[in-house]
């Protein structure tokens, strides 16, 4: 595996590391060391810490990939000296003086937020919201996504920690054109602001599950930039 960049994934809300299971085996077979950081979604600080100790565990250079809220995490943790490239997948990417919620509030509210329930201090996705999250997956896969998703604390998007890795690291951004969770206009704006290599795809919020080959190609592109 010498010479191949490592790949580290950071998942978002109502997800866990298994959301990358259509990508990981292929990347491993191609010679990359791959880890998916697992977050409790208890606080932004603790989730960033999870990404950082995962980065500490793998050799550099690293391509750091974040989906959805995972984009906030790679924005913060991506300042790590082993990270050479960032890949955002339908992701948030707040600036230094901006929370995840403040970034979202600049764009129209997406349909999924009509299908959540707050209980025990956590924000739960209702079954009725799953089509807005991953509606281009087969029904059985949609049910699996709902069953395996980690559930965030209610104020997670209002928390802040330092770090804006996209200001100093090369980035790629997969825009999900049909997203009903993170507004596509937010994604396009974020990609433009960071000067990312933009790669749009006609996908729901989960292109790594509905269009895995497309996402793999973008990750390969980022990794090859580090090889070069």
């Amino acid at each position: 595996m010498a010479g191949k960049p490592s790949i580290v994934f950071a998942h978002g809300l109502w997800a866990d590391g298994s959301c990358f299971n259509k990508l990981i085996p292929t990347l491993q077979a191609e010679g990359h060391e791959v880890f998916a950081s697992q977050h409790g979604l208890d606080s932004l600080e603790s989730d960033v810490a999870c990404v950082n100790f995962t980065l500490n565990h793998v050799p550099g250079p690293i391509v750091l990939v974040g989906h959805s809220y995972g984009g906030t995490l790679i924005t913060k943790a991506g300042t790590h000296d082993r990270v050479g490239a960032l890949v955002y997948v339908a992701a948030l990417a707040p600036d230094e003086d901006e929370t995840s919620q403040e970034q979202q509030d600049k764009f129209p509210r997406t349909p999924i937020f009509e299908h959540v329930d707050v209980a025990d201090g956590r924000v739960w996705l209702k079954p009725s919201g799953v089509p807005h999250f991953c509606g281009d997956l087969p029904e059985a896969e949609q049910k699996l996504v709902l069953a395996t998703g980690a559930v965030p604390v209610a104020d997670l998007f209002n928390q802040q920690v330092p770090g804006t890795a996209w200001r100093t690291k090369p980035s790629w951004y997969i825009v999900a054109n049909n997203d009903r969770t993170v507004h596509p206009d937010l994604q396009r704006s974020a990609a433009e602001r960071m000067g990312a290599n933009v790669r749009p795809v006609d996908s729901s919020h989960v292109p790594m599950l509905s269009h895995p080959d497309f996402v793999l190609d973008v990750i390969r592109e980022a990794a090859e930039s580090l090889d070069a």
Side-chain angles (χ1 to χ4, degrees):
M1 286 201 250
K4 285 277 190 178
S6 300
I7 315 292
V8 170
F9 290 103
H11 67 80
L13 311 189
W14 309 312
D16 70 357
S18 70
C19 71
F20 303 110
N21 62 12
K22 295 183 180 179
L23 311 179
I24 292 172
T26 299
L27 293 167
Q28 289 174 327
E30 292 174 359
H32 299 278
E33 187 162 342
V34 186
F35 275 86
S37 177
Q38 298 280 94
H39 325 126
L41 308 182
D42 298 313
S43 75
L44 179 57
E45 183 178 14
S46 62
D47 291 343
V48 171
C50 287
V51 180
N52 274 315
F53 65 61
T54 306
L55 296 172
N56 289 338
H57 185 68
V58 300
I62 298 168
V63 177
L64 183 55
V65 184
H67 171 246
S68 194
Y69 162 74
T72 298
L73 300 182
I74 72 170
T75 296
K76 306 302 182 181
T79 57
H80 194 291
D81 59 7
R82 292 187 192 175
V83 174
L86 307 165
V87 177
Y88 290 82
V89 183
L92 302 173
D95 208 342
E96 188 72 22
D97 59 351
E98 183 180 51
T99 66
S100 298
Q101 191 61 52
E102 286 168 343
Q103 185 183 23
Q104 280 206 316
D105 287 344
K106 294 174 182 176
F107 298 89
R109 184 177 172 93
T110 50
I112 199 166
F113 294 105
E114 305 303 321
H115 302 272
V116 298
D117 184 35
V118 179
D120 297 322
R122 299 274 171 168
V123 183
W124 296 83
L125 179 62
K126 297 178 181 179
S128 62
V130 174
H132 299 293
F133 190 73
C134 55
D136 55 354
L137 297 180
E139 184 179 358
E141 289 190 40
Q142 291 187 41
K143 290 180 177 179
L144 183 61
V145 167
L146 182 64
T148 57
V151 185
V153 294
D155 69 341
L156 185 62
F157 275 21
N158 293 313
Q159 298 177 22
Q160 182 65 291
V161 301
T164 317
W166 50 258
R167 289 202 171 277
T168 56
K169 306 288 176 80
S171 57
W172 281 254
Y173 199 112
I174 296 171
V175 174
N177 290 328
N178 303 327
D179 202 329
R180 296 168 65 86
T181 297
V182 172
H183 201 286
D185 287 347
L186 183 159
Q187 298 178 39
R188 296 181 191 107
S189 173
E192 181 179 4
R193 180 167 71 175
M194 69 176 70
N197 299 282
V198 184
R199 302 292 180 263
V201 61
D202 291 333
S203 171
S204 74
H205 187 53
V206 293
M208 66 284 188
L209 291 171
S210 59
H211 296 79
D213 290 339
F214 182 91
V215 177
L216 281 166
D217 281 345
V218 177
I219 294 172
R220 290 185 186 110
E221 186 179 343
E224 287 166 4
S225 78
L226 300 185
D227 282 336

